Amino acid sequence: MRAHPIRAEERSAPIGRRSSLLAALLLSTMLAWPAWAQVSDTPDAATALGGPLTTEAADAVTDDPTIEALIAEELRPSQPAEPVRIDGRQNPRAETVGGQLRRRGPEPTEADGIRLGTFVLRPSLSQRIVSEQQSSGDDRVFTQTDGRFDLRSDWSRHQLSVIGGGVFQENLSGRGATDPSAEIDAVLRLDLGGPTTATLRAGYDFEREDDTDPNALIGADTQASIHEFSAGAGIAREFGLIRGSVDVDAVRSLYGSARLADGSNVALDDRDQTSFSLRSRLAYAASAILSPFIESQVTRTEFDEEIDRSGFERSATTYGLRTGLEIDLGEKWFGEIAAGYAMRDVDDARLASIDTFTLDGLLNWSPKRGTDVQFGALTEIESSTTADLSGSVAQRFYINLTHVVRDNLLARLGGGLTLRDYYGFDIADQYIYDASAGLVWSLNRHLDVEADIAYERTTQSGTADYDTVTIGAGLTLRR
């Protein structure tokens, strides 16, 4: 029943009428909001919420404690563009040297927000109409409602942030798959005095597995739902020019049933798993501009069932070591880049170990005021449930460009390449190309009009190319 790791279609159940209800709520809220009438109040477009319209290839990749989160939280409070996650999906959960790749909530915006005691709440609600065309013929037109919130404390010491949201889609025509998701993440930073800080983390994610996932089932109309619960803690301390940190994380992944075309269900609870990760990092502030660092990580993944339905032991231990450089040249250049080595040792002796050199980084460049360029690289070791297949290594390279055309108009361009190399038996490498462009017109600090177009192509020797084109437009209301 396991899919050949080439499949690139999406078939999941419609969400229902919730999208229409939220759309009505958006319209009524805009009409009632006094700030909506202040069309002349136009902020700098660089503060507008953006992001590709709907394609999975344009979703964000961030996680505590990945490179992206470290830069976003430690070097800059917000980014002009968001990186694209590998193959537009978040599972199977696979470890990287710097932590697990995972979708997160929105970055803080420059909107005033709503003060709730010692907290500031910044909510947003988007409603879009999208046309999606696929080479498989599963074309559709659908509405997408995206609700987000960002709640942060305003304390003199310590900080608590809770970020989350959800996406609901409803098909208006066609038979393509809908793609629901939801997430919420809380981070408590404790200033313990002097150069020492501690961090406590907790989160929950929900999504449906994509047909592009190597572990998806062939012939499934609705792929399995995935629930993930995460918790973690870390401590960091500065010793003069040296900064060290240690983090521990746990992730619990639960898989639902997949529905086949004949209406039957296939339980996938044999993929339920728990991962425990320990990561340490040591950085040296060689100057105010450059800080070399070294980082190590070990992750143990335990499956609930020792033997899966294919007769293999899938539990594994992943090791990683990398060294890199933090760069901070002010607004012109900032970020970090690292190279290293990672190995995943699967318990079953019949499955070969996966080892690979890694390249991870996120560099931000601003050649002139109002123009921002983001370069990114990600390496991920992916697990597998296919017989005789140990897993795969996915490497992604991407670039995002944002440019302020005028005070209330922001343009975006993005593109990337993902290479997937399979381990275990002879399967051709898979290549995924994606590109996107969009415009954000800020009517005022609370309301944006957006239009986007995105394209993705999946190629693999011996199979037909798979193309997806998405065009859409919508409104985003922020407070």
Side-chain angles (χ1 to χ4, degrees):
M1 297 295 296
R2 296 296 171 194
H4 193 285
I6 300 174
R7 190 126 175 117
E9 301 175 12
E10 291 187 356
R11 301 178 185 275
S12 56
I15 296 303
R17 309 302 300 180
R18 288 174 291 181
S19 180
S20 297
L21 294 176
L22 287 175
L25 176 62
L26 171 63
L27 180 58
S28 61
T29 304
M30 288 191 298
L31 293 176
W33 207 322
W36 151 237
Q38 302 173 2
V39 178
S40 60
D41 185 11
T42 56
D44 191 312
T47 66
L49 284 181
L53 189 58
T54 58
T55 60
E56 291 271 326
D59 283 339
V61 178
T62 53
D63 187 36
D64 269 324
T66 58
I67 288 177
E68 292 79 359
L70 289 168
I71 295 173
E73 294 298 328
E74 298 179 12
L75 298 181
R76 293 292 181 271
S78 62
Q79 302 296 340
E82 295 181 339
V84 183
R85 52 180 183 160
I86 292 178
D87 197 21
R89 57 185 180 80
Q90 302 159 339
N91 54 78
R93 184 63 62 232
E95 298 78 6
T96 65
V97 182
Q100 294 177 329
L101 300 177
R102 190 177 181 192
R103 181 180 175 182
R104 290 295 179 187
E107 296 292 339
T109 72
E110 297 299 327
D112 294 337
I114 304 170
R115 181 161 291 277
L116 302 173
T118 59
F119 289 83
V120 177
L121 173 65
R122 295 184 174 91
S124 68
L125 184 62
S126 298
Q127 182 65 53
R128 295 164 175 168
I129 298 179
V130 187
S131 172
E132 182 179 78
Q133 297 181 341
Q134 302 182 37
S135 57
S136 64
D138 289 340
D139 301 341
R140 61 174 177 145
V141 176
F142 62 94
T143 63
Q144 176 170 300
T145 304
D146 190 340
R148 302 283 167 181
F149 71 90
D150 185 323
L151 179 67
R152 294 178 185 256
S153 64
D154 187 15
W155 304 335
S156 58
R157 289 186 61 197
H158 316 306
Q159 184 186 57
L160 174 63
S161 63
V162 182
I163 300 174
V167 175
F168 304 96
Q169 295 179 354
E170 181 180 359
N171 286 347
L172 301 177
S173 65
R175 56 184 295 256
T178 57
D179 183 24
S181 66
E183 65 273 343
I184 183 171
D185 296 279
V187 179
L188 174 62
R189 191 195 73 234
L190 300 173
D191 301 322
L192 302 182
T196 305
T197 59
T199 304
L200 300 176
R201 303 179 290 273
Y204 166 76
D205 280 351
F206 163 79
E207 66 174 354
R208 289 196 188 277
E209 188 167 50
D210 297 331
D211 280 334
T212 53
D213 193 300
N215 299 312
L217 295 182
I218 292 178
D221 276 353
T222 304
Q223 296 292 351
S225 60
I226 305 173
H227 302 267
E228 285 195 344
F229 304 85
S230 62
I235 188 167
R237 182 177 176 84
E238 294 181 359
F239 305 88
L241 299 179
I242 298 176
R243 183 177 187 272
S245 64
V246 177
D247 291 270
V248 292
D249 289 279
V251 178
R252 175 67 172 163
S253 302
L254 302 176
Y255 289 77
S257 299
R259 182 181 296 274
L260 302 181
D262 60 5
S264 61
N265 294 322
V266 178
L268 298 177
D269 53 3
D270 63 322
R271 296 170 59 185
D272 293 352
Q273 59 189 273
T274 304
S275 295
F276 302 93
S277 179
L278 173 64
R279 183 177 67 94
S280 62
R281 180 179 176 121
L282 196 63
Y284 173 69
S287 68
I289 298 175
L290 302 176
S291 298
F293 67 87
I294 186 171
E295 183 177 282
S296 63
Q297 178 170 320
V298 59
T299 300
R300 177 62 185 175
T301 301
E302 288 283 351
F303 283 76
D304 291 4
E305 297 187 14
E306 183 178 359
I307 306 296
D308 69 2
R309 68 186 60 215
S310 300
F312 291 86
E313 297 180 59
R314 293 293 177 178
S315 297
T317 304
T318 303
Y319 308 90
L321 180 66
R322 65 175 185 170
T323 183
L325 193 64
E326 299 175 2
I327 304 171
D328 191 352
L329 292 172
E331 296 182 357
K332 288 298 181 183
W333 278 100
F334 65 92
E336 70 177 55
I337 188 168
Y341 174 81
M343 181 185 73
R344 183 179 180 91
D345 185 16
V346 186
D347 287 359
D348 199 308
R350 295 170 294 174
L351 299 176
S353 297
I354 300 176
D355 61 316
T356 182
F357 288 101
T358 64
L359 179 63
D360 300 272
L362 184 65
L363 293 174
N364 297 270
W365 173 45
S366 180
K368 65 177 183 178
R369 185 175 181 82
T371 301
D372 296 281
V373 185
Q374 185 182 76
F375 305 93
L378 299 170
T379 304
E380 180 179 10
I381 297 180
E382 302 172 327
S383 60
S384 174
T385 57
T386 302
D388 299 318
L389 185 65
S390 301
S392 58
V393 174
Q395 294 179 312
R396 175 163 181 79
F397 306 94
Y398 61 88
I399 180 172
N400 293 318
L401 168 68
T402 61
H403 176 67
V404 178
V405 181
R406 50 182 299 179
D407 288 346
N408 64 340
L409 185 63
L410 180 72
R412 297 190 307 264
L413 290 174
L417 167 66
T418 300
L419 167 63
R420 179 168 287 109
D421 183 14
Y422 295 96
Y423 283 71
F425 51 87
D426 189 17
I427 297 179
D429 293 344
Q430 185 183 71
Y431 297 86
I432 302 174
Y433 309 87
D434 60 83
S436 62
L439 291 173
V440 180
W441 177 28
S442 298
L443 298 179
N444 55 51
R445 71 175 59 199
H446 301 296
L447 184 64
D448 297 336
V449 179
E450 303 180 14
D452 299 80
I453 181 171
Y455 171 76
E456 181 178 284
R457 162 167 284 198
T458 301
T459 65
Q460 190 167 18
S461 178
T463 65
D465 294 344
Y466 186 85
D467 301 294
T468 302
V469 177
T470 305
I471 303 174
L475 300 174
T476 297
L477 181 64
R478 295 179 288 124
R479 175 62 176 173

